[in-house]
Amino acid sequence: GDKHDMFQTIKTIVKSYNYFQKSYQLIILDHFEEISITFQNMFKVLLEKSYETSRFLIITSLLNKIVVGIPRNENFFAKLIVGSK
């Protein structure tokens, strides 16, 4: 479905690190609370594996709907923004 296609697209993007310019891919995930638990767990694995190529900005308005823990790695960058509806 659409969510699976989105996940596959993001996987492709994080693999496209530009080693010549040493630039990261910035992935912005808005309304993250609307993503199912299954896909949140898939994103967690992707976050953990792509810290060398990508940076993530996760935006949500409902923190209690997020099951994904942001990995703690000194080389890893993900920012979680919690706003109000």
Side-chain angles (χ1 to χ4, degrees):
D2 291 340
K3 290 179 185 176
H4 189 267
D5 292 343
M6 177 187 65
F7 183 77
Q8 292 303 321
T9 299
I10 293 172
K11 274 180 73 173
T12 301
I13 291 170
V14 300
K15 290 180 181 178
S16 64
Y17 179 74
N18 187 331
Y19 289 95
F20 297 106
Q21 293 183 353
K22 297 182 181 177
S23 61
Y24 296 99
Q25 304 300 333
L26 176 61
I27 309 296
I28 300 172
L29 302 169
D30 196 3
H31 300 285
F32 199 72
E33 72 277 1
E34 295 178 10
I35 299 174
S36 71
I37 293 171
T38 301
F39 277 97
Q40 286 189 35
N41 285 322
M42 290 169 62
F43 273 112
K44 180 179 179 180
V45 173
L46 185 63
L47 291 171
E48 291 169 345
K49 290 184 175 183
S50 62
Y51 71 90
E52 292 179 337
T53 63
S54 303
R55 301 297 182 249
F56 292 85
L57 180 62
I58 300 169
I59 303 170
T60 184
S61 59
L62 300 170
L63 187 58
N64 62 339
K65 297 276 186 171
I66 304 298
V67 297
V68 175
I70 295 177
R72 301 289 182 227
N73 181 320
E74 63 187 30
N75 297 318
F76 178 81
F77 177 83
K79 179 73 176 171
L80 176 63
I81 297 177
V82 181
S84 59
K85 280 194 170 187

